[in-house]
């Protein structure tokens, strides 16, 4: 469809406003070098208090027991696992944007990948908190790792949760490395622009003495390429494995082969939505419209539209298979989803994830900042509900009607979820303040002047 | 040069370049060190073995067993029939000590306990976690000698823990009982050693079809 | 200052194109021990400088294989040798279930290989470098393009190399001292 | 670190502290100290787990082990006690007139578990919920410890002074000013003492009554025949049985005997074929759930239906004089369709089949009389129904000794008139549990001198001057005579925990003015003087067997008159029936946490009672489940909560006694609603009741929210005829073969444990549940947690309603861990905390579990239980402790309740998953015994707790590899099937499909 693809003859410029190499550095480094604006201080205070809330809830949880949550016998997983999958999902856009778009040589990624990667890391941290604290006895959670011990006991590698442990930690590590490697040249930039000794030293240490030598660039680019090549299957595997937590069980509504692809699509969906939300705010506040252009936003909205439609397709397919398989438990599970006690959650999910994103078919909406802001938030709400629907509705009515029970969260669960945003925002704001939120060197590299065969580019 | 220039020209001294390698080596050493500390110092082999509390009455196993030749079962009467190898009752002590060394202060204590019925408070030496259910009778009857778990108690002036009693240690034997099985006659002979333990153990194992459980529920309920 | 040993020359160039040309001419002139500095990787510079391909790929492959086999070994040993316990009536070596962790550990170690391999190839971290003492060199991470020629290059001569740099379009030429 | 070890330090000191402050602990534990120490640490174990590393860390330094633990060997070894090994003692527990012989498991002097005594006819090896739970009652910290006078702590000596002064007064007027009100006692010694008291004080009034009980029936039969007899149906030999509001399988304390006999005939394999059960009742009772035909009738219609049936029978069989004269004169109202009545009649009269009617204790004398007469007509009397002399009546020779409600009425009159100066109340709780119109409380307040012997401080003791702690049956000597005249000695297993007095001593003290309570042992021995109790061997024999002598039936007394008429009912309003609770009975067990949390077998309600009404009645009244309503009749009203019960009779409200206690222990007080005020003296039910909704709602905590089976083939049941047509109905044909993609394990060596449950026999009586709870240290969680779906019962009874809302059938399905060979729970546990044993058990390793709860999510039958909140710490039964410092939560649960714990079973802490283990501790015990004796295990040597106590003998555990074992035999039955077989779980717990035996004629009708 012509709307979807750019006409190659008229490529939209990725950096606007007649920037030079120097001015790119200036523009991107400005937020880091100027003193924190009022809004930043204010929102950082809010973030910190939310973080405090999270810590309070976690201490209550550990102190009193998992019973402070609303979980009950059939529904042993609730907001805890929902929160985990929700955050992991959000954590996917970052690596996806950096890695996959990098491999596909999508130059437009450069001005948003740093941003998205940061988001990934912090989101995965939130997810990690959830997976670590959902257990009944956190203090023996170290049993989860295959450590030699005087009990001669070992872990069970057949359990999807064990796969999770490896997948999530690997994903976090690799994303962190990827992000940091990307940062090195920009840290060097900051170091060289630094005007105080402390900045010099700190940025200097983290820049590791980068000096832009071509031999360095050579290995550096290769390393970056390889990391991208590794992260791409990794990012897909991680959410597939997260989906195994459900798919590998035998619970009607969980035990489905469609889960891996559908979870990945959902993850990209929610991840991009979150990126859009954050970008809209950041570009406005830091006046970076010339880097995060409408073109970027529109492209992302297209991806949201695409993945949203995939997710919708998956919802439909689940129902079809449930009916087609002729498995009474399966079909009941899905009918119950749509018309059972949790129907409200199901229809919220459908409208948020399937209906609203369809508005992006219209170029006007796709390019309207307020519209996309609202929709991106709606999508995130919808994706949270997707996880809730999968977890709670499947559990609360399984094989034996005798064990059916309704689950509703307690204030602790709710506050903990709100608090997890505190963790996310705290780190994100720190990132905005102390690190270049746009990959300076990469942006320079895609500027026309960067091409050695480009003429009249040099201003000296 | 203006101060700002000076600052902006701050350059790390040359020696800093050597730091990374130091950190690398130091970190590595630390890592190995920590592993060692846990592996060795935090293992029951080190934490449990050798625990030797002072008992209310300095009863000497060496004297009573090695020199006077008491059988373990004279005091630990139920060891063949019950899960617990009972600590002897005050009565048991008084069987002899109503005549022997009656005026020793310790014996007086025992006498007093018998009169008042207030038990003597011995300090527990061999302690398994409370979720472990060890059955003495089963092991004794299978041909596992006291010495396998308690060491040479017959030579101990004061009883101490001789073996780690950790789960891995238990499993060692449950997975290869032939290293400890011995004929019933020698179960209470702590000083007895078989010249060809393994081969003999194998024979006993076959003869009595001894298959120690390795299921969790063997010891945990 | 003067007491210090000269270790090379540093020429600055206005643009990627210029520095690329410079690199080519240096290469053609037979210089080997020279380096180009730029705020971003310049396309085709490797060829221009005539340096060979990065061996990083091999390092990563090796690490990846170690990760893969290690994971498989660990899981086999644990579930078949060290802790052979029946779960869900499945065979002890149920390899299907071991695939995810094999993959994850392969990726993890490959990642380490890539990053730390890159560091070691680049001899980073190296917080001190003579170039950092050059005021002008600060622009190397912003919009400066530089070429440095090492003093121990066989073709190196304090005067001629300086002239040669100027001749191939170097705007300024400085000497780098230890 | 210190924080970790301190708690246990403290707890041990605390133990010793206890010893000093509470002499009874001292007495108890002097000989059991080693176990006490064991026990304590047992209980802390998992708490320490959390800190295992840290703990190790510190104890590393210089080989100091904290907490230091001590061993207290016996000073003088008690006879036969081997530390760590349990011993069983025979005794008997009486509930009202009903006696059950029991074997009590004791660990170093701590009774921990109650089992049935196979030698005792009323037990046959089974123990019911009340018997099982009584051991918790023994350790209940709320039990009275010291005598009080006018709420002030006093001494027994002072009481005895008071008593002798009262007795001298009474001697003046030959006891005319003296009243003794006792709860129903089955103890011959007590009877003897009461009779002696009576002869010592000829004018004194002695009354013995329970709120519910056999008295009404006995009274009716006495009125008809002049002799006090009690009918004992031999259910195993009755082919066709009609229950007239009789819940003989359920709430009757005689249910154990009845259930075993009845269940025998529920298996189609029985040589004499299945029996057939018709049930006429007003609310859904357990007996109703086993009915082949159930007719829901409000109580007045119940009487009419009986008349209808009687007429039909007479018409067919030709009448005996009395019955003819009775029913002939009665108006006929056809409450049952003629077809039904004639079908029933022909069934009852069908030749070469035995048949009988059973009337519920709570029915009116009219019903009892009629049923007795009809049984005569059917030739059941003396044939399939034996009659025994009513034990409590044997001593009641003089009219001054009155039984039942009439007796209470007389007592109230006497008290109200003011002649009574001294009232002696033994047990019971008349102030709370007597009909509202009787006015017992007001009357009692007129008596200047009162004493109450009671387990708990309750409504009655609150109204009495002297309150004496009453000894638990496990702490006192006594004896008991069952309804079938089987006599047992009640022997104590433990010294009294407080300054309590046994019934016998208390009664004996009325006859002596000694300065101390007479010994109960002597009194009991005196009773048996004649029968050779002097001889020590004989005495020991009695104690060992738990049975002194079996009784013999008397001749069937001949009815001479029929002095009853149908209960008059008011045309308007609703009718109200009352029945004792399945859990707390008449309220005497209301402070027992196990029983409070026990789900009602029909409504699955815990911690409360409710007014059960049919959905039709609910609609007409405009109320729904959970609504509060004011229910008024006879000028009195009670507020109660509605619970709609499928299958309840229309126009009728069923109220459950035993709740709404205003003065009780921490567990029972304020639970549910008191319905006694609505009862009316001499009435089996109340009519003309009116209802007004209160507009409030009330939270009801049920353990099962969904009653329908959703067309899922879970608890299978077919009729005998259907079964004959398709003997293999239980075996589903699967669309695809049930195989795994890998080579499955054979499990072909050693013992392979399995369980089979015969749904045809199971009556859903809950005995297995409490047995499991007491065997496996399962905590109670409290109402709010149950309401949140967090009950911890390892075995639960699923109850499904099948059919219409108005006329549903009920299916019971006990649900244990299925011990699947392909257990879904195992593969998803990341830490291998649940894995499979070589004997096919699904082991749950608590100390490895980190609580991901994944296993439960993947369990298709949801039998796994998660300890959400350290329920042992917050045990509602135990004394609440205030947290002293940061790590205080590591202290053990309240020691009083602790003492019941089974030391053979790990006590689980919070954050840990737990589930049915097939009583693996019993398996290990048996295996070790067999190995030590170097022999193979015998079938039936190892019994799971549920199997051992099951009165219906429906649960069978054993080695499925041994073809001769009972369980293998059951699994080879064609009715045997695995639940959710299509999931290919290869479950070790399987079910035998239930078979019903409806009357073919009636089946045709519908």
């Amino acid at each position: 469809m012509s709307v979807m693809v750019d006409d190659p003859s008229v490529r939209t410029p990725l950096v606007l406003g007649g920037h030079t190499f120097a001015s790119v550095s200036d523009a991107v480094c400005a937020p880091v070098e100027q003193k924190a604006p009022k809004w930043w201080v204010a929102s950082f205070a809010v973030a910190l208090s939310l973080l405090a809330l999270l810590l309070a809830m976690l201490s209550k949880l550990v102190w009193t027991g998992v019973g402070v949550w609303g979980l009950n016998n059939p529904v042993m997983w609730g907001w805890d696992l929902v929160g985990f999958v929700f955050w992991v999902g959000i954590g996917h856009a970052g690596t996806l944007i950096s890695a996959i778009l990098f491999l596909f040589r999508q130059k437009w990624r450069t001005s948003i990948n740093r941003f998205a990667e940061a988001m990934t890391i912090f989101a995965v941290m939130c997810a990690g908190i959830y997976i670590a604290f959902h257990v009944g006895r956190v203090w023996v959670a170290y049993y989860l790792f295959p450590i030699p011990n005087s009990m001669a006991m070992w872990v069970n590698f057949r359990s999807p949760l064990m796969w999770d442990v490896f997948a999530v930690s690997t994903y976090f590590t690799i994303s962190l490395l990827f992000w940091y490697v990307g940062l090195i040249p920009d840290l060097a930039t900051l170091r060289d622009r630094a005007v105080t000794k402390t900045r010099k030293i700190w940025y200097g240490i983290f820049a590791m003495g980068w000096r832009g030598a071509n031999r360095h660039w050579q290995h550096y680019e290769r390393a970056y390429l390889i990391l991208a090549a590794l992260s791409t299957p990794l990012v897909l595997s991680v959410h597939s494995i997260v989906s195994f937590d459900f798919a590998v069980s035998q619970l009607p509504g969980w035990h489905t082969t469609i889960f891996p692809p559908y979870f990945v699509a959902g993850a990209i969906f929610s991840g991009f939505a979150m990126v859009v939300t954050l970008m809209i705010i950041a570009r406005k506040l830091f006046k970076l419209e010339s880097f995060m252009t409408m073109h970027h936003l529109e492209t992302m909205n297209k991806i949201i539209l695409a993945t949203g439609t995939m997710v919708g397709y998956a919802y439909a397919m689940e129902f079809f298979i449930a009916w087609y398989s002729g498995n009474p438990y399966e079909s009941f599970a899905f009918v119950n989803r749509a018309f059972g006690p949790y129907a409200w959650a199901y229809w919220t999910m459908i409208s948020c994830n399937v209906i609203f994103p369809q508005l992006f078919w219209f170029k006007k909406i796709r390019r309207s900042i307020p519209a996309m802001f609202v929709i991106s938030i709606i999508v995130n709400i919808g994706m949270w509900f997707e996880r809730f629907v999968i977890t709670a509705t499947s559990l609360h009515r399984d094989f034996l009607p005798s064990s059916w029970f309704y689950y509703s969260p307690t204030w602790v669960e709710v506050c903990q979820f709100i608090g997890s945003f505190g963790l996310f925002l705290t780190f994100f704001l720190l990132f905005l303040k102390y690190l270049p939120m746009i990959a300076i060197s990469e942006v320079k590299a895609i500027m026309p002047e960067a091409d050695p065969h480009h003429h009249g580019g040099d201003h000296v | 040069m203006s101060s700002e220039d000076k600052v902006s020209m701050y350059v790390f001294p040359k020696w800093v370049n050597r730091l990374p390698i130091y950190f690398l080596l130091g970190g590595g050493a630390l890592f190995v060190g920590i592993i060692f500390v846990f592996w060795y110092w935090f293992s029951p082999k080190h934490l449990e073995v050798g625990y030797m509390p002072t008992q209310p009455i300095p009863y000497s196993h060496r004297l009573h067993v090695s020199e006077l030749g008491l059988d373990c079962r004279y005091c630990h009467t139920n060891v063949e029939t019950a899960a617990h190898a009972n600590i002897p009752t005050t009565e048991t002590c008084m069987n002899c000590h109503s005549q022997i060394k009656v005026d020793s202060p310790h014996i007086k204590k025992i006498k007093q306990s018998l009169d008042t019925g207030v038990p003597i408070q011995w300090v527990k030496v061999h302690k398994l976690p409370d979720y472990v259910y060890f059955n003495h009778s089963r092991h004794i009857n299978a041909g596992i000698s006291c010495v396998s778990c308690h060491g040479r108690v017959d030579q101990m002036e004061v009883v101490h823990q001789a073996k780690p009693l950790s789960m891995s240690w238990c499993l060692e034997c449950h997975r290869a009982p032939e290293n400890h099985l011995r004929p019933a006659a020698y179960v209470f002979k702590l000083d007895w050693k078989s010249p060809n333990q393994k081969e003999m153990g194998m024979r006993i194992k076959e003869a009595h079809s001894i298959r120690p459980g390795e299921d969790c529920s063997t010891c945990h309920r | 200052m003067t007491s210090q040993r000269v270790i090379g020359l540093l020429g600055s160039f206005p643009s990627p194109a210029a520095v690329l040309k410079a690199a080519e001419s240096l290469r053609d002139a037979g210089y080997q021990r020279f380096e180009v500095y730029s705020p971003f990787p310049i396309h085709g510079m490797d060829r221009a400088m005539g340096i060979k391909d990065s061996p990083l790929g091999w390092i990563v492959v090796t690490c990846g294989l170690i990760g893969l086999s290690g994971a498989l070994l660990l899981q086999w040993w644990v579930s078949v040798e060290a802790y052979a316990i029946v779960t869900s009536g499945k065979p002890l070596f149920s390899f299907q279930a071991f695939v995810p962790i094999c993959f994850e550990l392969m990726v993890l170690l490959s990642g380490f290989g890539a990053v730390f391999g890159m560091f070691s190839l680049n001899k980073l971290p190296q917080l001190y470098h003579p170039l950092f003492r050059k005021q002008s060199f600060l622009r190397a991470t912003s919009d400066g393009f530089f070429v440095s020629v090492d003093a121990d290059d066989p073709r190196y001569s304090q005067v001629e190399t300086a002239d040669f740099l100027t001749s191939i379009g170097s705007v300024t030429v400085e000497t780098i001292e230890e | 670190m210190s924080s970790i070890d301190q708690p246990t330090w403290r707890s041990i000191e605390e133990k010793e502290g206890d010893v000093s402050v509470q002499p009874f602990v001292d007495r108890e534990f002097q000989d059991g100290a080693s176990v006490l120490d064991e026990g304590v640490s047992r209980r802390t174990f998992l708490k320490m787990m959390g800190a295992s590393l840290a703990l190790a860390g510190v104890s590393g330094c210089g080989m100091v082990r904290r907490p230091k633990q001590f061993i207290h060997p016996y000073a003088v070894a008690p006879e036969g006690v081997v530390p760590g090994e349990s011993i069983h003692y025979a005794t008997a527990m009486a509930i009202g007139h009903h006696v059950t012989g029991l074997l009590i498991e004791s660990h170093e002097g701590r009774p921990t578990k109650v089992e049935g005594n196979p030698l005792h006819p009323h037990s046959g090896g089974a123990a019911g919920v009340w018997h099982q739970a009584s051991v918790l009652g023994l350790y209940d910290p709320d039990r009275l410890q010291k005598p009080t006078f006018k709420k002030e702590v006093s001494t027994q000596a002072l009481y005895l002074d008071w008593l002798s002064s009262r007795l001298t007064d009474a001697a003046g007027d030959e006891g005319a000013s003296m009243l003794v009100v006792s709860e129903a006692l089955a103890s011959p010694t007590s009877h003897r003492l009461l009779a002696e008291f009576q002869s010592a004080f000829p004018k004194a009034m002695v009354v013995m009554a329970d709120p519910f009980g056999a008295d009404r029936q006995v009274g009716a039969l006495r009125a008809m025949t002049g002799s006090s007899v009690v009918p004992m149906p031999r259910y195993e030999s009755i082919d066709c049985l009609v229950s007239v509001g009789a819940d003989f399988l359920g709430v009757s304390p005689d249910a154990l005997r009845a259930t075993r006999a009845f269940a025998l005939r529920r298996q189609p394999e029985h040589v004499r074929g299945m029996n057939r059960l018709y049930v006429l009742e007003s609310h859904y009772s357990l007996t109703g759930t086993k009915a082949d035909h159930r007719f829901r009738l409000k109580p007045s219609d119940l009487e009419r239906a009986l008349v209808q049936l009687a007429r039909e029978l007479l018409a067919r069989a030709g009448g005996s004089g009395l019955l003819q004269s009775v029913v002939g004169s009665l108006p006929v109202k056809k409450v049952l369709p003629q077809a039904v009545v004639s079908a029933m009649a022909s069934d009852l009269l069908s030749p070469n089949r035995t048949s009988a009617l059973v009337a519920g204790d709570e029915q009116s004398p009219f019903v009892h009389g009629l049923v007795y007469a009809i049984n005569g007509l059917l030739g059941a009397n003396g044939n399939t129904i034996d009659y025994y002399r009513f034990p409590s009546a044997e001593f009641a020779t003089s009219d001054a000794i009155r039984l039942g409600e009439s007796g209470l009425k007389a007592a109230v009159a006497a008290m109200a008139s003011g002649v009574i100066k001294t009232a002696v109340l033994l047990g019971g709780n008349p102030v709370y549990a007597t009909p509202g119109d009787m006015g017992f409380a007001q009357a009692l307040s007129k008596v200047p001198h009162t004493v109450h012997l009671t387990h708990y401080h309750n409504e009655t003791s609150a109204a009495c001057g002297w309150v004496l702690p009453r000894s638990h049956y496990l702490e006192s000597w006594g004896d008991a005579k069952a309804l079938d005249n089987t006599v047992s000695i009640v022997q104590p297993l433990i010294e009294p925990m407080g300054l309590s007095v046994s019934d016998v001593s208390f009664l004996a003290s009325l006859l002596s003015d000694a300065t101390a309570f007479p010994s109960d042992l002597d009194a009991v021995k005196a009773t048996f003087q004649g029968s050779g109790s002097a001889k020590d061997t004989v005495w020991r024999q009695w104690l060992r067997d738990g049975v002194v002598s079996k009784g013999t039936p008397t001749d069937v007394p001949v009815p001479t008159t029929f002095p009853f008429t149908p209960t008059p009912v008011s045309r308007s309003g609703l009718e109200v029936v009352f029945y004792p609770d399945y859990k707390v009975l008449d309220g005497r067990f209301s402070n027992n946490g196990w029983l409070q949390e026990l789900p009602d077998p029909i409504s699955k309600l815990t911690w409360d009672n409710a007014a059960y009404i049919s959905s039709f009645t609910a609609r007409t009244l405009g109320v729904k489940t959970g609504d509060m309503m004011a229910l008024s009749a006879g000028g009195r009203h009670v507020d109660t909560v509605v619970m709609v019960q499928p299958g309840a009779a229309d126009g009728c409200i069923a109220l459950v006694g035993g709740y709404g206690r205003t003065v009780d222990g921490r567990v029972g007080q304020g639970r549910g609603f008191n319905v006694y005020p609505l009862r009316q003296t001499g009435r089996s039910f109340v009519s003309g009741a009116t209802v007004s909704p209160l507009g409030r709602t009330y939270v009801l905590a049920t353990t099962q929210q969904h009653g329908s089976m959703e067309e899922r083939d879970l608890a299978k049941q077919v009729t005998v005829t259907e079964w004959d047509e398709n003997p293999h109905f239980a075996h589903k044909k699967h669309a695809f073969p049930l195989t795994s993609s890998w080579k499955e394990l054979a499990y072909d060596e050693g013992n392979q444990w399995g369980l089979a449950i015969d749904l045809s026999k199971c009556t859903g009586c809950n005995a297995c549940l409490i047995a499991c709870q007491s065997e496996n240290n399962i905590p109670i969680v409290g109402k709010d947690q149950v309401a949140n779906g967090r009950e911890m019962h390892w075995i639960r009874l699923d109850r499904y309603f099948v059919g219409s809302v108005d006329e549903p059938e009920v299916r019971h399905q006990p649900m244990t861990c299925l011990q699947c060979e392909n257990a879904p729970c195992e593969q998803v546990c990341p830490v291998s905390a649940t894995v499979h044993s070589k004997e096919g058990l699904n082991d749950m390793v608590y100390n490895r579990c980190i609580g991901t709860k994944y296993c439960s999510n993947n369990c298709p039958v949801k039998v796994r239980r998660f300890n959400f909140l350290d329920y042992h710490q917050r045990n509602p039964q135990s004394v609440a402790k205030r947290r002293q410092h940061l790590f205080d939560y590591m202290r053990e649960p309240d020691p009083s309740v602790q003492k019941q714990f089974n030391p053979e079973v790990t006590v689980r802490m919070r954050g840990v998953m737990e589930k049915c283990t097939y009583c693996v501790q019993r398996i290990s015990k048996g295996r070790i015994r067999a190995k030590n004796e170097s022999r193979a295990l015998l079938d039936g040597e190892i019994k799971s707790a549920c199997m051992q106590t099951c009165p219906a003998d429906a649960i069978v555990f054993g080695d499925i590899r041994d073809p001769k074992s009972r369980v293998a035999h059951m699994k080879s039955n064609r009715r045997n099937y695995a639940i959710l077989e299509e999931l290919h779980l290869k479950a070790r717990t399987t079910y035998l499909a239930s078979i019903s035996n409806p009357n073919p004629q009636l089946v045709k009708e519908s």
Side-chain angles (χ1 to χ4, degrees), chain B residues 122-142:
Chain B
W122 300 96
V123 182
K124 196 167 186 174
V125 178
H126 297 90
K127 177 174 172 298
L128 291 178
D130 307 304
Y131 44 84
V132 176
Y133 291 80
F134 178 85
N135 188 307
H136 278 88
S137 69
R138 185 59 215 125
H139 289 80
I140 294 294
N141 290 310

Side-chain angles (χ1 to χ4, degrees), chain B residues 9 11-12 14 16-17, chain C residues 126-128 132-133 135 178:
Chain B
M9 275 313 292
V11 177
F12 286 95
K14 192 165 184 183
V16 175
N17 283 353
Chain C
Q126 180 184 2
L127 297 185
Y128 168 82
F132 290 148
R133 314 220 332 300
Q135 179 75 47
E178 182 63 20

Side-chain angles (χ1 to χ4, degrees), chain D residues 911-931:
Chain D
V912 172
M913 195 62 74
E914 52 186 77
K915 65 159 192 74
C916 160
T917 63
Y918 275 179
C919 288
V920 69
Q921 66 279 8
R922 293 181 171 211
I923 296 176
S924 305
K925 197 173 177 186
R927 190 201 295 119
I928 289 171
R929 199 194 302 112
K931 275 187 174 177

Side-chain angles (χ1 to χ4, degrees), chain A residues 62-63 67 69 71-73 76-77 134 136-137 139 143 156 159 245 249-250 329 332 398-399 401-402 405, chain D residues 49-50 712 788-790 798 828-830 832 849-854 857-858 862 865 883 886 910 982:
Chain A
V62 176
W63 186 251
W69 291 345
L71 305 173
N72 54 39
N73 185 9
M76 287 278 180
W77 283 352
H134 90 286
R137 301 197 295 161
W139 49 92
Y143 285 174
N156 173 16
S159 165
D245 286 345
S249 82
Q250 45 79 63
Y329 303 111
F332 173 86
D398 65 335
F399 292 99
S402 60
F405 217 90
Chain D
M49 273 308 294
R712 298 177 182 186
N788 201 353
R790 293 173 176 182
D798 290 348
V828 297
C829 175
S832 288
C849 177
I850 65 173
T852 66
K853 311 184 257 2
Y854 198 171
N857 289 340
N858 211 28
K862 294 282 178 285
R865 301 301 190 183
R883 192 170 277 168
L886 198 62
R910 75 167 153 100
E982 57 271 38

